[in-house]
Amino acid sequence: MEEGHFENLPGKGKPLNLSTNPHADPAEDTLYRILSQNGCAPEWVELNKEIRGMIANWRSALRKACENRSEDDGSAWYDDSRVLQERIRQINDKVFRYNLIVPFGRQMSGLNWDRELGKLNLK
């Protein structure tokens, strides 16, 4: 660079052409381009959005249940925690399915009840 070898490269100062991915399988790249041009996304992208929304809603419900938790009436917390644990199972089932279809390296971790309570300093 110091010697100026990169000064006269073709395309200097012009935007890069990012319409294709040189590292992707050509068939897969073509498929993703067709989907994108038609306003669609691969199933794993849509599933990722759905899972992230479910996790955000679940964490909000957990915070609300913790705020409503009272020391003298454990039955409401017991009922809420059972519902929340069932929803964790449903989310983790979707995460498992997602991890089976997503390209390598984009997997995500499921939720863990104790870890989530720990984030709220509860147990």
Side-chain angles (χ1 to χ4, degrees):
M1 257 175 83
E2 290 174 3
E3 296 173 4
H5 292 289
F6 297 100
E7 292 299 318
N8 297 321
L9 294 174
K12 178 182 176 188
K14 297 179 183 172
L16 294 173
N17 179 4
L18 300 175
S19 62
T20 60
N21 181 351
H23 306 290
D25 173 42
E28 191 174 283
D29 191 47
T30 301
L31 172 67
Y32 289 152
R33 192 170 357 92
I34 291 169
L35 287 172
S36 177
Q37 289 170 350
N38 290 292
C40 298
E43 180 183 5
W44 62 269
V45 171
E46 296 296 332
L47 193 54
N48 182 293
K49 290 178 190 176
E50 181 182 351
I51 291 168
R52 292 190 183 282
M54 290 174 72
I55 290 172
N57 290 337
W58 183 86
R59 286 183 172 146
S60 176
L62 176 62
R63 280 191 297 278
K64 184 177 179 182
C66 290
E67 290 168 1
N68 294 336
R69 183 175 166 179
S70 64
E71 296 298 325
D72 45 8
D73 181 20
S75 64
W77 169 249
Y78 177 76
D79 292 341
D80 288 345
S81 65
R82 285 180 41 144
V83 169
L84 289 166
Q85 288 176 14
E86 174 58 25
R87 286 178 58 194
I88 275 185
R89 189 190 63 73
Q90 293 169 356
I91 291 169
N92 287 342
D93 286 348
K94 284 196 184 270
V95 168
F96 179 75
R97 183 168 173 272
Y98 169 82
N99 286 340
L100 290 175
I101 62 175
V102 72
F104 181 74
R106 296 182 183 250
Q107 287 78 15
M108 65 170 54
S109 299
L111 295 177
N112 176 283
W113 178 256
D114 291 331
R115 197 174 327 132
E116 294 295 325
L117 288 179
K119 289 177 184 179
L120 296 175
N121 296 320
L122 298 172
K123 265 200 178 176

